[in-house]
Amino acid sequence: MKFVLFDVDGTLIDAVDNQRRVWGVWAQRYGLDPDEVYRVALRTRPMETFAQVAAGRDPQECLARLHELEDEDVRSGVYGAFEGAAELLEALPTGGWALVTSNYEHRVRGRFARTGLPVPEIIVDAASVAEGKPSPVPYLLAAQRLGAAPQDCLVVEDAPTGVLSGLRAGMTVWGVNAPAAVDGVHRHFSSLGEAAADILAFASGTRSHAATQ
């Protein structure tokens, strides 16, 4: 059996504007440059972001304020699923896929409920692991919970840190929703919709997946 492990933000959910807005409001509260804060936040986990951009602030206070803003965004923000996401997830076998996110499960569930996406049995979130992406730990934990061997897993990602996480876990990694291929991906697709048929083929084991594109 083959398994598919999806990143969430940027892969299934189009939340780039939301993330930028949340970090922008957070930065303004601390008198920081929103663009610089967002640039750092894109490649680090929140506590690492605070250490770089707000070293003199209480990191727990910073995190609490960020969580407030993110929870409010789940309730009132405007965002959507990428084209074809719902149909793709609904076509995958129950127990054959999982979500691996740097966000928190309650926010993922809230966004999925608002966008009509089905929720899998397994969600590995920021609270599930001590090491986030680009560490292989999140994807390896998802595979373990699914009862899958890493070589039987396909990771679908949009960001360099997530791609590196999947590669370090010894999994097949495909990139989506980017104009150019992220370094290291085994295949690149400009959109999730373009990749859907091949993702389903991987899950069913009906096609060879070694080819690059």
Side-chain angles (χ1 to χ4, degrees):
M1 183 173 176
K2 301 292 184 179
F3 300 83
V4 185
L5 311 180
F6 292 95
D7 173 53
V8 177
D9 293 334
T11 297
L12 297 173
I13 296 284
D14 187 357
V16 172
D17 289 343
N18 305 68
Q19 292 170 334
R20 181 182 289 277
R21 182 172 58 252
V22 164
W23 277 109
V25 173
W26 182 90
Q28 290 170 356
R29 287 189 178 183
Y30 289 98
L32 302 171
D33 178 3
D35 291 337
E36 172 63 15
V37 168
Y38 184 64
R39 183 186 66 79
V40 175
L42 278 176
R43 54 182 174 80
T44 59
R45 302 182 85 189
M47 297 301 279
E48 297 164 347
T49 303
F50 307 147
Q52 290 192 41
V53 304
R57 299 283 186 172
D58 178 357
Q60 292 302 324
E61 176 194 336
C62 291
L63 187 63
R65 287 182 177 269
L66 180 65
H67 283 177
E68 289 174 4
L69 294 169
E70 290 183 324
D71 287 343
E72 177 57 32
D73 177 70
V74 171
R75 292 189 292 268
S76 62
V78 177
Y79 51 85
F82 283 104
E83 183 177 356
E87 294 81 0
L88 169 59
L89 299 184
E90 288 167 359
L92 289 168
T94 301
W97 62 286
L99 302 177
V100 181
T101 177
S102 298
N103 212 320
Y104 288 84
E105 182 171 346
H106 72 279
R107 293 192 195 113
V108 172
R109 290 185 177 276
R111 286 177 171 177
F112 273 43
R114 290 189 59 196
T115 54
L117 295 180
V119 178
E121 297 175 351
I122 304 298
I123 300 176
V124 173
D125 70 345
S128 303
V129 293
E131 298 179 24
K133 303 171 186 178
S135 165
V137 170
Y139 280 111
L140 289 174
L141 179 58
Q144 178 185 340
R145 290 182 175 178
L146 287 168
Q151 62 267 26
D152 291 328
C153 294
L154 168 64
V155 168
V156 183
E157 271 278 1
D158 74 299
T161 54
V163 167
L164 187 55
S165 177
L167 292 172
R168 287 175 172 174
M171 300 174 180
T172 300
V173 183
W174 291 354
V176 298
N177 299 333
V182 174
D183 287 347
V185 295
H186 297 104
R187 295 189 69 182
H188 165 69
F189 301 86
S190 61
S191 68
L192 180 69
E194 180 187 330
D198 288 316
I199 292 171
L200 290 174
F202 182 101
S204 66
T206 59
R207 288 182 57 177
S208 170
H209 316 292
T212 57
Q213 177 170 303

